Amino acid sequence: MMMVIRGEDLKRIIKAAENSRIEVCGMLFGRGSGERIEVEEVRFIPNRLNSAEGFEMEPLEMVKAIDDAEAMGLQVVGIFHSHLKCPPRPSGRDLKGMNLWPVVWLIVDDMGNYGAYVLEGDKIREVKVKIV
Ligand SMILES: [Zn+2]
C-alpha cells in the first residue's frame, strides 16, 4: 500500500512536531482507496489531552474538518500525530485508535523521522510514503 503526500505537507507536519511540547495531531484528506491513496489536504486538530505522551483530537474540530473536506469532495484517508522522544511507530494506545479509525496512520517524531501504518485485522502493515 502506498500513500502519496506533497513534500511541503509532510514538512509542515514535521515542523509542527519539532516546535511543539505536546503531540500534534490532525487529519489527512484526499482521494483513493485500496492500494493507493493521495493526500490533498492536511488539517491540524487541537490535541485535547495536551500531552507529550498521547493525543485525542478535539471532536468538534474533527467534525468541522470532515465537513470542510466533504464540501471539497475529499474523504478521510489518514490520521497523523507526532511522537516526542520515541520512534514514529504505533504505540499500544495508537493501536486502539487504529481500531476505531481504520485509515492510514502517519506518525512523525520530533527529529524528522516518519512512518505510515495501517491495521489489517490485528496486524500492523507499513505503508509506503511517496513524496511528490
Ligand atoms: Zn502515537
Side-chain angles (χ1 to χ4, degrees):
M1 183 171 185
M2 180 190 281
M3 182 181 79
V4 182
I5 186 168
R6 284 188 290 264
E8 60 198 89
D9 284 339
L10 183 59
K11 228 178 269 173
R12 210 146 59 85
I13 296 171
I14 288 171
K15 264 263 145 5
E18 286 171 350
N19 293 330
S20 177
R21 290 175 182 210
I22 62 167
E23 290 192 5
V24 297
C25 53
M27 308 185 84
L28 305 172
F29 297 103
R31 296 187 173 87
S33 58
E35 286 305 296
R36 182 189 169 98
I37 59 164
E38 293 182 20
V39 177
E40 300 279 343
E41 187 78 16
V42 170
R43 182 85 170 246
F44 286 85
I45 310 278
N47 177 358
R48 72 166 176 181
L49 293 185
N50 207 27
S51 164
E53 282 149 22
F55 78 99
E56 246 178 57
M57 289 187 271
E58 192 62 61
L60 283 178
E61 294 292 328
M62 281 179 85
V63 171
K64 235 192 274 173
I66 292 168
D67 281 351
D68 289 350
E70 279 177 354
M72 292 188 285
L74 304 175
Q75 62 196 49
V76 181
V77 292
I79 281 174
F80 70 88
H81 74 287
S82 64
H83 283 173
L84 280 78
K85 294 177 183 69
C86 76
R89 294 199 44 88
S91 64
R93 185 192 180 98
D94 292 338
L95 222 62
K96 287 185 192 151
M98 290 172 90
N99 260 307
L100 290 173
W101 285 92
V103 291
V104 172
W105 278 53
L106 172 68
I107 307 176
V108 306
D109 69 9
D110 50 357
M111 299 194 313
N113 305 302
Y114 59 87
Y117 309 89
V118 70
L119 197 62
E120 282 182 355
D122 56 0
K123 283 205 177 68
I124 295 176
R125 188 172 155 207
E126 187 152 8
V127 174
K128 198 174 167 213
V129 178
K130 186 181 178 196
I131 298 167
V132 292

